[in-house]
Amino acid sequence: MAAELERVRAAVHRMPDSLIVLDRSNQIEWYNRAAEGLLAIVGIRRPIYHFVRDPEFNTWLEDGAGAPLELTLPQRPGHLFLVRMFRSDETHRLLIAHDITEQRRLDAMRRDFVANISHEIRTPLTVISGFVETMLDLDLDDDSRRQYLDAIGKQSDTMRRLIEDLLILAKLEHDLPRDFENTPIDIHDLLTILVGDAQALSGGRHQISLRLSGPQWLKADALDLQTVVRNLLTNAVRYTPEGGQVTVDWERQGTEGVLCVRDTGIGIAAEHIPRLTERFYRVDRGRSRDSGGTGLGLAIVKHALQRYGATLEITSKLGHGSCFSIQWPAERLATERKQGD
Ligand code: ADP
């Protein structure tokens, strides 16, 4: 029995939540290690008020500790705790403090995300319904009709792209990579095809070049890799004025493989760089929308790379161009098309 008791005690001490047993007059009778760390409780038989000096908490206790209380503590700045009280027997009560900071941060992120999506969908939808109303109300000639239908088509394209990007992001967050320990794919081949697509997108307005000196095989999912490179290349073309250059470089640096998409475009001011991979973050909202951006491209790139332990580094100079560089860990590189090479 003593051994069993010791095991229970050890488990309770290892709990991340703070547990405190109070007697009838709110004096501390027992506490676990988390409570000791959180509230700096030293010794029993002292009132809980000595360690939680918060008028709201005092009122809550005096009122019988009904609904759970949200509490901040000066000893843990920036953290939020949910405090609950349970009657453990006739004379004792159990106080539990659970850190809900991360949960609250995720809730806020989710709320922002939904608000952003609603806004992003409503904008093109408002334009579409405006044009449809005009077309119904006015007797338009063929030319104007075509113009209105073109505009409606453009806005529907924006909505389609947005929904496609949202689905890709959701998939990247929830699914494991398809065929995770992938058979290596030919990255030389893939980059050649994608650079060809970028040339088509540019329509001859940019000079786009490819340098391949890195290993030929990369252990990654071909669709993930396409998504990543296509997003970076599309951005490079869209944010580089006519006459500019885009360079794709695949090389070995030490043990790593580095894929670099560089452009001589509009560049990005330093203060924006850390936030570029956030969903819907754009430097210039109007410019992004006009060029067909969804604001999700770099968030998708970041999520896709996380699955492979690869990292994205962004360097840029406003007015001079940007460089998006991906570091692939050595274990992802292969010199032959052999699985597990
Ligand atoms: P978007 O669909 O708006 O391009 P992204 O997530 O792909 O969304 O990029 C986020 C923002 O980063 C863009 O709105 C743009 O301001 C900036 N950006 C991305 N790539 C480049 C680039 N190559 N040159 C300049 N700015 C860029």
Side-chain angles (χ1 to χ4, degrees), residues 158-220:
T158 304
M159 283 175 66
R160 184 183 43 75
R161 260 197 311 274
L162 177 67
I163 286 160
E164 278 168 7
D165 275 1
L166 283 169
L167 289 173
I168 292 175
L169 204 53
K171 241 180 154 24
L172 283 172
E173 279 177 338
H174 294 113
D175 295 0
L176 281 175
R178 293 155 287 245
D179 184 15
F180 193 86
E181 269 318 315
N182 335 71
T183 317
I185 51 160
D186 186 339
I187 183 168
H188 288 202
D189 229 25
L190 189 128
L191 289 177
T192 308
I193 294 170
L194 292 176
V195 164
D197 291 351
Q199 268 154 349
L201 177 71
S202 153
R205 287 175 299 127
H206 308 87
Q207 199 189 320
I208 307 180
S209 53
L210 172 64
R211 282 200 293 256
L212 296 167
S213 62
Q216 188 169 2
W217 306 97
L218 187 71
K219 283 179 249 172

Side-chain angles (χ1 to χ4, degrees), residues 235-236 238-239 263 266-268 276 281-284 288 293-298 322 324:
N235 279 351
R238 281 167 39 212
Y239 297 108
D263 64 60
I266 60 170
I268 306 152
L276 292 182
Y281 189 86
R282 291 137 155 155
V283 177
D284 180 339
S288 159
T294 60
L296 292 173
L298 292 178
S322 313
F324 291 77

Side-chain angles (χ1 to χ4, degrees), residues 10-22:
V12 172
H13 273 307
R14 244 177 263 132
M15 274 182 71
D17 288 354
S18 300
L19 307 185
I20 301 164
V21 176
L22 299 179

